[in-house]
Amino acid sequence: LRKKTEEIGKIISSNLNKEKNSYDNRITLFIDPDCGFSDAAVKALVKFKKDNLGWKTKGVIVTNGVNLKERLLQKQNYFTNDIEFSIDLSGNLAKQFGIQKTPAFVIRYNGRYYKIIGQTDLDETISKLNK
């Protein structure tokens, strides 16, 4: 009986941890390196990450791959600021979130998703989600 109780306790604890982790707050920034507003959006995300260490952040560069090397070399500062960037060559990730314009922030907060297009003050936006 003691063994069974311990096993059940472990299962319940594991399930609670999974549920807790499913509500991790995170922000994903979608940018196009050719968009003039992308630099400001990256700076806003970097500032937010420094002020909110509990949040997970990442960036996604949406591009068709034409002159990709040159475009990324011009935007080297994106990769020196503790934000992990990936490249969405096929556009599938952007389609998954319904991103048609950049910059766009996809915010997962308390288990819900929010999509914000354009320039934004992330601290102010998050505070509005609390209401």
Side-chain angles (χ1 to χ4, degrees):
L1 183 61
R2 183 180 293 165
K3 245 183 184 179
K4 270 293 195 202
T5 306
E6 287 176 10
E7 286 178 30
I8 292 171
K10 287 179 183 178
I11 291 170
I12 291 172
S13 176
S14 174
N15 288 341
L16 287 175
N17 285 337
K18 286 179 185 174
E19 186 175 316
K20 180 183 170 190
N21 289 339
S22 70
Y23 289 122
D24 285 345
N25 296 327
R26 67 180 63 223
I27 297 178
T28 303
L29 170 62
F30 289 84
I31 58 169
D32 180 342
D34 292 333
C35 176
F37 298 109
S38 292
D39 290 349
V42 170
K43 287 178 186 176
L45 185 60
V46 169
K47 180 187 179 307
F48 181 83
K49 181 176 181 170
K50 287 180 182 176
D51 295 341
N52 301 279
L53 298 176
W55 282 68
K56 295 180 181 178
T57 57
K58 75 176 196 175
V60 177
I61 298 173
V62 182
T63 179
N64 60 10
V66 176
N67 297 325
L68 180 61
K69 182 178 178 182
E70 292 81 17
R71 291 163 63 197
L72 292 179
L73 284 172
Q74 293 172 352
K75 302 297 182 179
Q76 288 180 33
N77 58 325
Y78 290 175
F79 306 102
T80 60
N81 54 33
D82 294 332
I83 304 291
E84 179 184 324
F85 277 91
S86 61
I87 299 174
D88 188 13
L89 285 173
S90 64
N92 286 335
L93 190 57
K95 288 177 191 170
Q96 177 183 347
F97 287 102
I99 305 298
Q100 296 175 353
K101 293 183 179 185
T102 61
F105 295 90
V106 175
I107 301 170
R108 188 170 94 186
Y109 182 64
N110 291 336
R112 296 188 66 198
Y113 283 92
Y114 304 89
K115 182 172 60 171
I116 312 294
I117 305 295
Q119 303 290 77
T120 186
D121 179 338
L122 291 171
D123 289 316
E124 182 179 322
T125 301
I126 299 300
S127 70
K128 289 179 182 177
L129 297 179
N130 282 324
K131 297 179 181 178

